[in-house]
Amino acid sequence: DSGVTQTPKHLITATGQRVTLRCSPRSGDLSVYWYQQSLDQGLQFLIQYYNGEERAKGNILERFSAQQFPDLHSELNLSSLELGDSALYFCASSVMGLSSEQYFGPGTRLTVT
Amino acid sequence: KNEVEQSPQNLTAQEGEFITINCSYSVGISALHWLQQHPGGGIVSLFMLSSGKKKHGRLIATINIQEKHSSLHITASHPRDSAVYICAVGGGGADGLTFGKGTHLIIQP
């Protein structure tokens, strides 16, 4: 158990809908990262927050947004969903930035039908 | 943009064999991560390296910064080592981690 929690574990929704994925980092970790894993693209970095502020952005679509709250939990919002958004979404946390070890949550499997 | 290449893509070995998985990258980095992903999907961080060598139990990871290359070794392999092993690099001007495509390892009893 990494200490990082993600909810829900599974999510099935229809095209055009909006969903929110939630992540709680390990106690004491200030950085939260979001990653997408799909069969064709593999693992891709989406976005990083550090202590409530956006720190880095990767291949995140404009339809996707994220935030980190004062209690350090984070939410990833996916809107106008398309079939291609079906993937595993992982959250990870670390004490600091990229030079710190990252601890991964169990992931949320999103299926868009 | 950093390009991360892993080899081999697939590896099947017998229990007890010494396993080596390689990772090379194109741009200087601040750290390299080795991750393990089991069929259930969960990802576990095995090592984070910025230089030299690290060892945890039967796992050893090395990195050569000059050659931009890292290896993950598994000694006395066991069927429970069967998983996908993923190399990821951070830094080098990129935001976030850049991942290799992974090595699918199967250890047969």
Side-chain angles (χ1 to χ4, degrees), chain A residues 35-45 87-88, chain B residues 99-101:
Chain A
Y35 299 99
Q36 180 194 59
Q37 186 178 37
S38 61
L39 281 175
D40 53 344
Q41 298 286 337
L43 269 163
Q44 291 191 98
F45 165 68
L88 261 172
Chain B
F99 297 87
K101 293 189 187 307

Side-chain angles (χ1 to χ4, degrees), chain B residues 1-17:
Chain B
K1 181 186 170 186
N2 221 332
E3 302 290 336
V4 181
E5 298 287 338
Q6 278 187 243
S7 63
Q9 276 189 284
N10 298 284
L11 179 56
T12 299
Q14 296 297 312
E15 183 173 356
E17 286 189 39

Side-chain angles (χ1 to χ4, degrees), chain A residues 1-108:
Chain A
D1 184 358
S2 67
V4 179
T5 60
Q6 286 187 250
T7 57
K9 284 189 179 178
H10 302 276
L11 198 48
I12 301 174
T13 188
T15 54
Q17 295 298 305
R18 173 189 168 94
V19 297
T20 297
L21 312 183
R22 183 188 167 104
C23 168
S24 291
R26 289 190 327 154
S27 176
D29 285 356
L30 299 179
S31 270
V32 169
Y33 309 80
W34 285 99
Y35 299 99
Q36 180 194 59
Q37 186 178 37
S38 61
L39 281 175
D40 53 344
Q41 298 286 337
L43 269 163
Q44 291 191 98
F45 165 68
L46 294 179
I47 196 163
Q48 177 202 358
Y49 279 82
Y50 177 80
N51 204 20
E53 300 287 328
E54 182 184 304
R55 176 61 63 91
K57 232 173 185 177
N59 298 322
I60 189 165
L61 300 172
E62 284 191 15
R63 300 183 285 109
F64 296 0
S65 64
Q67 55 184 327
Q68 186 180 27
F69 294 87
D71 66 352
L72 300 178
H73 92 271
S74 178
E75 292 181 355
L76 178 67
N77 301 296
L78 315 177
S79 61
S80 302
L81 285 167
E82 302 175 359
L83 295 177
D85 298 327
S86 295
L88 261 172
Y89 290 84
F90 288 100
C91 161
S93 73
S94 69
V95 173
M96 298 285 287
L98 284 180
S99 298
S100 304
E101 187 164 0
Q102 295 189 22
Y103 297 87
F104 285 77
T108 292

